[in-house]
Amino acid sequence: MERGAIPIESCPGGMDLRLTLESGQSYLWRRDDDRMYDGADGGWYHTVVDCTDPRSTGSPSESGELIRVRQRDDALEWESTTDAVPHLRRLLRLDDDLDAIVDATPADPLIDEAYAAHRGLRLVRDPPFPCLISFICSAQMRVGRIHGMQVTLAREFGDTLVVDGETYHAFPKPRQLAAASVEELRGCSLGYRAPYVKETAEMVADGDRPEDALGTAYEDARERLTRFVGVGEKVADCVLLFSLGYLEAVPLDTWIRSAIEEHYPDCDRGSYRETSRAIRERFGEYAGYVQTYVFHFLRTGGSVPETHENS
């Protein structure tokens, strides 16, 4: 195992690892203590990266490379079967300038409270196929349940990697999920989502990849992703934001729709597409960061003080 550390001072605007990995945007990391999403302070997190992915770094590895990371003092400490630095910088968007992003966001009481409460939360850049499957599974589910589904899929269908006597599971490749039966997928608690996962995996295994949307205009990219089975506009926005780097994307989930109803009623245009466009016009090129902070702020019980609400 290689070991090293990334100074927090090299991450513009800071970094909070637990906030980033437990804010409901990525379901591909595991805590060594199995306490994801229970509010406890974080320790070691791990994931297995697929180095056959053309977006990855490093030499191809059939079973993937293990990356473990934790935040201690003023650094992200890591252990890995490869050099983890380029992977962590890519997956955790460590080069995003959070201060500049906050400064570029129009002043707003709710947004100001969310940024202040969770400073250091970064967007992730997950691999496209696992991100796509994770959010197909997210419909009408709490974050803990979504995470549990992905853990089970990896354990049942993914490659195994044994490091220092411990067994780790990579997220399944498209061909591995495509080969699973609907009944086997339902056995992983996917319910009605099981055929969606199988059919989408078959599409990707046959060469129709979510990353093919890269390079197209935002709304065209969202439309392209909705061709996958089980993918509506909200799931497509999640993939665009949390994997493909469209930082203007705003997934309109229940929490964000409630925020729009209470704080930005003028942005409710009656349809997903027009409401999304209005929110993007209001909050600009980093509207996806706004969405992620507000989602986590509201989901964890945050509220705007009356002095702000009435100002």
Side-chain angles (χ1 to χ4, degrees):
M1 292 272 279
E2 299 184 37
R3 293 174 173 80
I6 300 175
I8 298 299
E9 64 182 15
S10 72
C11 309
M15 172 63 180
D16 188 309
L17 184 65
R18 185 175 73 84
L19 278 178
T20 299
L21 296 184
E22 298 191 39
S23 55
Q25 50 171 326
S26 175
Y27 299 99
L28 304 180
W29 292 83
R30 320 287 181 234
R31 277 177 57 152
D32 284 7
D33 61 5
D34 293 325
R35 297 187 66 183
M36 291 287 283
Y37 297 109
D38 73 356
D41 288 338
W44 283 101
Y45 296 84
H46 68 265
T47 192
V48 177
V49 296
D50 179 8
C51 289
T52 64
D53 184 336
R55 285 161 37 98
S56 185
T57 58
S59 58
S61 173
E62 180 62 28
S63 56
E65 302 286 359
L66 172 69
I67 294 176
R68 301 179 73 239
V69 63
R70 67 179 176 181
Q71 187 162 355
R72 294 288 296 273
D73 300 324
D74 297 322
L76 294 178
E77 298 178 352
W78 59 266
E79 302 177 346
S80 180
T81 54
T82 187
D83 178 8
V85 173
H87 291 289
L88 290 172
R89 287 209 167 274
R90 175 176 54 87
L91 294 170
L92 303 179
R93 300 191 66 96
L94 297 181
D95 295 323
D96 284 2
D97 189 335
L98 296 185
D99 290 335
I101 289 168
V102 171
D103 290 343
T105 303
D108 177 273
L110 174 59
I111 309 308
D112 293 346
E113 290 290 333
Y115 275 141
H118 301 302
R119 198 59 175 269
L121 189 163
R122 291 176 175 271
L123 288 176
V124 298
R125 189 186 282 115
D126 275 349
F129 176 69
C131 182
L132 178 64
I133 296 301
S134 295
F135 283 100
I136 288 175
C137 293
S138 71
Q140 301 177 334
M141 280 290 171
R142 295 182 181 273
V143 292
R145 289 286 305 279
I146 304 165
H147 179 262
M149 290 179 185
Q150 310 320 304
V151 170
T152 303
L153 287 175
R155 184 184 66 239
E156 295 298 320
F157 304 109
D159 293 331
T160 58
L161 182 65
V162 179
V163 179
D164 293 340
E166 297 290 331
T167 299
Y168 300 89
H169 301 275
F171 193 83
K173 296 179 175 64
R175 58 176 172 77
Q176 292 172 318
L177 282 185
S181 69
V182 171
E183 290 71 24
E184 288 174 322
L185 293 171
R186 284 203 175 102
C188 297
S189 301
L190 268 61
Y192 70 86
R193 306 160 194 83
Y196 303 161
V197 168
K198 180 175 175 61
E199 291 179 50
T200 287
E202 290 172 345
M203 292 174 67
V204 179
D206 289 340
D208 192 0
R209 308 176 307 162
E211 56 265 43
D212 291 340
L214 281 168
T216 59
Y218 161 68
E219 291 193 354
D220 292 336
R222 183 173 63 193
E223 182 67 25
R224 184 184 184 96
L225 289 177
T226 60
R227 297 185 304 181
F228 291 103
V229 181
V231 176
E233 290 174 308
K234 193 269 283 189
V235 170
D237 270 336
C238 289
V239 178
L240 291 173
L241 181 60
F242 303 133
S243 177
L244 300 184
Y246 286 77
L247 300 187
E248 70 270 42
V250 180
L252 300 181
D253 62 5
T254 300
W255 292 105
I256 300 304
R257 288 186 180 277
S258 295
I260 291 171
E261 180 180 354
E262 183 173 354
H263 299 277
Y264 319 111
D266 57 306
C267 290
D268 187 352
R269 304 296 170 81
S271 71
Y272 188 104
R273 179 163 300 190
E274 294 305 318
T275 300
S276 171
R277 185 175 293 139
I279 287 291
R280 296 197 313 276
E281 290 173 352
R282 183 173 189 131
F283 292 112
E285 62 181 314
Y286 300 116
Y289 259 103
V290 171
Q291 185 273 349
T292 303
Y293 271 82
V294 169
F295 170 85
H296 191 62
F297 181 67
L298 296 178
R299 190 179 68 83
T300 54
S303 62
V304 180
E306 289 187 13
T307 54
H308 283 180
E309 290 178 337
N310 298 330
S311 61

